[in-house]
Amino acid sequence: MAAQGQSLQKKAKEAIITLNKAAAIQIAEQAAAEISAAELLDLIEGGFKAGIMVVGDRFGKGDMFLPELVAAAETMKRALAILEPKLRESQVTQELMGKIVIATVKGDLHDIGKTMVSSLLMANGFEVIDLGIDVATPVIIEAARDNAADMICLSALLTTTILAQKEVIDALEEMGYRDDFKVMIGGAASSESWAQEIGADAYGADAQEATEIAISLLTK
């Protein structure tokens, strides 16, 4: 079974790198049916996560394009969704790094960056509650409170919608919940200086950096 697990890890990594969604789904379905829950964690770490890290590295070097990065993230997300029920039933889980609510703020319909960040966070052991796009401030805060989240991640691509990032932080302050959550912002219109100006805890320039910051803020 160990040899089978290693073989699946290799295939899973290759499926992510080559953007082969059908293969990734087939591997996840086979693994869920044939290998132990504990081995599924190795498959995630050594297969799907290893693959997305290679894709992220190649994107950073300019060797892959954004649509390919998004396709890889969506493929991994689909595969993890197949594995999750068996892990939950077996009560075997990755070490939980923290719980994060993530959303694209109100008025902004962009999903690419958020999806990439969400996928990498999941691959690194975070429980992620992805609220989607165009999400109003009260909905974000309510979800964070209802799920006892550790962090709120706010994506905004447009200069007109980054104000909604500030709106969330201001609302947290007014409601007395600001100290309950770390807040990280991201998106093309955001910046480190904007994060400091509005009182966010961090700014993530890309999915990899956002994941590293989340690990740092929630585990140290």
Side-chain angles (χ1 to χ4, degrees):
M1 294 299 289
Q4 182 189 18
Q6 291 177 359
S7 175
L8 287 175
Q9 283 184 37
K10 183 177 179 180
K11 291 178 180 177
K13 181 179 178 179
E14 190 66 21
I16 295 297
I17 294 172
T18 59
L19 313 179
N20 191 334
K21 181 183 287 187
I25 291 173
Q26 187 274 325
I27 292 164
E29 290 176 341
Q30 180 185 351
E34 298 179 2
I35 67 176
S36 70
E39 288 175 308
L40 292 184
L41 294 181
D42 293 333
L43 175 64
I44 292 172
E45 186 71 22
F48 294 114
K49 179 182 171 182
I52 200 69
M53 296 305 288
V54 171
V55 171
D57 184 59
R58 290 181 181 178
F59 176 74
K61 294 178 179 176
D63 296 330
M64 293 186 84
F65 298 104
L66 183 58
E68 295 171 309
L69 183 69
V70 173
E74 291 180 345
T75 296
M76 188 182 73
K77 196 172 182 179
R78 180 73 180 276
L80 294 180
I82 294 171
L83 301 177
E84 186 180 0
K86 183 169 181 176
L87 291 170
R88 190 166 51 242
E89 289 172 7
S90 304
Q91 296 184 328
V92 175
T93 61
Q94 292 175 286
E95 180 183 356
L96 184 62
M97 303 290 284
K99 192 179 292 186
I100 297 176
V101 164
I102 187 170
T104 300
V105 296
K106 183 67 177 177
D108 202 314
L109 304 178
H110 296 88
D111 197 39
I112 294 174
K114 176 185 65 58
T115 297
M116 188 64 196
V117 172
S118 177
S119 297
L120 271 188
L121 288 171
M122 290 172 62
N124 280 277
F126 290 96
E127 181 179 345
V128 179
I129 299 98
D130 189 339
L131 302 179
I133 60 174
D134 191 21
V135 185
T137 291
V139 176
I140 294 170
I141 295 176
E142 183 178 2
R145 297 195 68 230
D146 288 350
N147 290 281
D150 303 296
M151 173 179 280
I152 297 172
C153 291
L154 303 169
S155 175
L157 190 74
L158 308 174
T159 54
T160 52
T161 58
I162 59 172
L163 293 176
Q165 295 175 325
K166 181 178 185 299
E167 181 181 288
V168 173
I169 294 174
D170 288 347
L172 287 170
E173 292 279 6
E174 292 170 6
M175 298 168 77
Y177 302 142
R178 180 63 185 90
D179 292 338
D180 295 345
F181 312 103
K182 298 292 186 185
V183 178
M184 178 161 55
I185 64 169
S190 301
S191 65
E192 181 66 41
S193 61
W194 175 242
Q196 293 177 5
E197 181 178 338
I198 66 175
D201 295 291
Y203 161 71
D206 53 39
Q208 182 63 37
E209 182 176 290
T211 301
E212 292 171 356
I213 291 172
I215 292 171
S216 176
L217 287 178
L218 299 185
T219 63
K220 296 179 181 176

